[in-house]
Amino acid sequence: TMDSAYTLQYAPPAASHSFPILTKAPSSITDWLFVIYTVGVVMTLGWYLLSYLRLRVLLRKAAPVSSVMQQQIQTVCNTYSLTSCRAVAVPGLTSAFICGVLSPVLAIPENQDVDDKILLHELLHYKYRDSVQMIFWCTLRCLHWCNPFLQFMFHRIENDMESLCDQRVLERLEGEQRREYGIILLNMANERYARAPGTTSISNGGKNIARRVAAIARFKKYPRGMGLVSVCILLGLVSPLLLGTTNAKATNYLSQTGKLGDPREATLQQGLAA
């Protein structure tokens, strides 16, 4: 059952990459499982892409926000030294969100008052390019669609990203404003939220908001130097993935045989020679 029509069991891949390619019909259970996995990846990617394109079309048809709302957004940007992006008013929207990477759009509920703290939250998402992170995590969701443990981890990562944005908001607010921000989150506990790639929203479900409010109660500013520590940890984790290591067994085998083949044959030849 471990035989495969797409790759050899013992020899290193002869191609320039290690991902098998569907070059012929499946010949074993292993091949069929790989075909099912590949179809799942393609279908999940297609679903995310379709969701994103439908959302972009909706935002493209939406009208620009009113001059009053545009002035409110600009005031928030000036107060907290942030930059703005194109803002549109979407009918039926429950909460604001940022969508897009190359041409980000701030979607605002039509004919509704939006608190400055919600705008601050979304503009901080825009400042730190959290939409790019969402695309990255959605891509990993597609590649690991069949792994429920990793799906749970990606879900927690996305929620932690919202909690980090809450932290950034609270660092810019003072006193009573922080309590008001927590009340705003509580009022969003029952709202639905989208999980389209390339989007960020302050609302992410009742259970997650409850954890975020609990974190607000424990709020403390990060000490200076935490950014440098985070970068060092990231470099320490990423460098082995980028640089890689030499496959000792494959190198030893190639040096003995000079060609790809079954290592059992090389072992048999060594035994006969002895």
Side-chain angles (χ1 to χ4, degrees):
T1 60
M2 294 302 294
D3 295 333
S4 174
Y6 309 126
T7 184
L8 298 177
Q9 183 175 357
Y10 297 100
S16 59
H17 53 80
S18 59
F19 196 79
I21 301 177
L22 302 180
T23 56
K24 58 184 72 174
S27 63
S28 64
I29 296 178
T30 305
D31 291 344
W32 279 111
L33 290 176
F34 175 70
V35 170
I36 294 173
Y37 164 76
T38 304
V39 171
V41 171
V42 173
M43 291 182 63
T44 310
L45 279 172
W47 184 82
Y48 273 122
L49 181 60
L50 180 62
S51 301
Y52 179 75
L53 292 178
R54 289 178 60 186
L55 183 58
R56 292 296 298 189
V57 170
L58 176 65
L59 296 180
R60 186 174 301 173
K61 294 180 179 179
V65 296
S66 64
S67 57
V68 176
M69 175 57 66
Q70 188 62 52
Q71 182 61 40
Q72 182 182 356
I73 295 173
Q74 191 59 47
T75 301
V76 173
C77 291
N78 295 338
T79 302
Y80 299 102
S81 301
L82 300 172
T83 57
S84 181
C85 61
R86 186 170 70 94
V88 296
V90 182
L93 197 64
T94 57
S95 63
F97 64 88
I98 291 285
C99 177
V101 177
L102 299 179
S103 57
V105 178
L106 173 59
I108 301 294
E110 188 180 42
N111 299 325
Q112 292 186 24
D113 294 332
V114 181
D115 194 279
D116 289 352
K117 302 173 191 63
I118 297 179
L119 296 177
L120 174 59
H121 182 101
E122 298 305 328
L123 290 172
L124 285 172
H125 274 312
Y126 171 64
K127 176 182 179 179
Y128 290 97
R129 299 295 188 268
D130 288 337
S131 297
V132 179
Q133 285 197 54
M134 289 298 295
I135 290 180
F136 175 74
W137 297 121
C138 285
T139 302
L140 291 185
R141 277 181 177 273
C142 296
L143 294 177
H144 299 281
W145 65 269
C146 55
N147 191 328
F149 175 74
L150 287 179
Q151 293 295 323
F152 172 77
M153 294 302 299
F154 297 144
H155 179 71
R156 294 304 301 268
I157 288 172
E158 292 171 1
N159 293 331
D160 287 345
M161 185 173 66
E162 289 299 327
S163 297
L164 177 58
C165 195
D166 291 337
Q167 176 80 16
R168 291 164 175 162
V169 170
L170 294 176
E171 289 178 349
R172 289 165 171 81
L173 299 179
E174 298 293 340
E176 188 66 17
Q177 291 179 324
R178 294 172 181 169
R179 189 181 71 86
E180 294 173 355
Y181 182 74
I183 294 175
I184 291 174
L185 289 181
L186 286 176
N187 292 334
M188 294 182 175
N190 295 325
E191 292 183 1
R192 298 180 60 186
Y193 65 101
R195 193 174 288 280
T199 61
T200 59
S201 174
I202 188 174
S203 176
N204 64 339
K207 292 183 179 180
N208 300 318
I209 285 181
R211 284 192 288 265
R212 291 164 61 186
V213 172
I216 290 176
R218 303 188 303 269
F219 167 74
K220 290 183 179 180
K221 290 187 176 181
Y222 285 126
R224 294 183 178 180
M226 286 300 296
L228 178 61
V229 173
S230 301
V231 171
C232 293
I233 294 175
L234 179 63
L235 292 176
L237 295 175
V238 171
S239 57
L241 298 177
L242 296 178
L243 300 177
T245 57
T246 303
N247 190 328
K249 291 185 178 179
T251 304
N252 186 35
Y253 169 67
L254 290 173
S255 64
Q256 292 178 0
T257 62
K259 60 180 181 179
L260 296 178
D262 193 333
R264 292 174 294 186
E265 180 180 351
T267 304
L268 177 60
Q269 291 178 358
Q270 292 176 1
L272 294 175

